[in-house]
Structures are given as structure tokens and as C-alpha cells.
Amino acid sequence: MAVLQVLVYPDERLLQVSKPVDTFDATLADFLGDLEETMDAGPPSVGIAAPQVAYFQRIVLVDVSSMLQARPKLKSSNHGRMVLINPEIVERSGEVIGREGCLSVPDYTGNVARAQSIRLQARGPDGSQIELSCEGFEARAIQHEIDHLDGKLFLDRVMSSRELFRRKTYK
């Protein structure tokens, strides 16, 4: 496995729309291992999407467990580490505003409106069908990662320039 380079805004490849995965084989398994290692090696994050490492297929990893452990009052479902291939949100409800950051936009965070609850369908690493209902922070993380598959960044959804904040750095 390898740690892959994460594309950083304003790299135009981040705007590319990803194609569905149609082959579930050893090459895909190898890439999933690399993507997982990249997520674990980088700055703390709750998700990563394949386009962030210049692999333009519809694949995201999401795991909000560490965030929920650090912030126990945060309302959220928690399905643990999820590998979602060809994810599709089939139902959305509610809307909440929350702060988001991104591995590909390391210097800023911003307030973004997202659905409070989602229901989605996806494929697992072996091609099996997955159906999930997610809410709160986990739903936000999944929507954020799926945006990457459509060539969007949270910057495209920030409500106004006043809702964009320079990330604090701690020394």
C-alpha cells in the first residue's frame, strides 16, 4: 500500500466529475488500500474521496468515529469506517448549517447547509449492495465526500464569503 498525494485547491482536477466503478477486482482492492492508508496518514479527517488523489472513480471513505469520540455531544449516526462505491443519495430530509473543512482546502473552513438525514445506496468493496440511513455529522461527511465525486468543493456551497474562515493553526 502507498500514501497518495492529495490534490489541493486550486488544482483544476478537483473539478472533474468521476465515473462509476464497474469492475470490482484486485486493482480496485489495491486502490482502496492506498486510499485508506492516505486517509490514515494525513491530517485527522473523517473522509476522503478518490478524486482527491487524482483517481476519478466514484469512491469515498467515511469514518466519523474519532470525531464522535472527541466530541461526544455531537449528534450523529456512526456506521464506523465505510467504503462507499458509486454512492447515491436517494432521500434527504431536514437542513442544518455546520462547519466543514477539507483535506483539499487545508487553509479554510466554512459554514455549509446540508441535509440533516440521508438515505443512500452504494456498493461495497466486493460489489455487494449497501443501503444506509445516516444523520447528523455522519450525513454531513458523506454529502461532503459525494460532492467531490461531482467535482464540487465545500467552497462551492459556502453560504457567503462571511461564512468562510481561515483555519486556526496551533503550534
Side-chain angles (χ1 to χ4, degrees), residues 19-73:
K19 295 182 178 175
V21 174
D22 56 9
T23 303
F24 295 81
D25 59 8
T27 301
L28 176 64
D30 288 346
F31 172 73
L32 294 175
D34 291 347
L35 190 62
E36 195 162 355
E37 190 166 328
T38 302
M39 181 173 149
D40 291 341
S45 68
V46 296
I48 190 168
Q52 291 180 275
V53 295
Y55 192 86
F56 301 100
Q57 295 209 309
R58 299 185 72 80
I59 301 167
V60 302
L61 298 180
V62 174
D63 186 351
V64 299
S65 301
S66 62
M67 182 63 86
L68 297 180
Q69 196 169 30
R71 294 178 158 177
K73 291 184 179 180

Side-chain angles (χ1 to χ4, degrees), residues 75-77 91-97 113-119 133-140 143:
K75 294 181 180 178
S76 180
S77 55
E91 187 176 314
R92 300 170 193 261
S93 64
E95 184 176 276
V96 292
I97 296 170
R114 301 271 188 194
Q116 169 66 29
S117 301
I118 60 171
R119 196 167 59 83
S133 293
C134 303
E135 62 182 36
F137 187 72
E138 185 173 54
R140 172 174 298 281
Q143 291 170 84

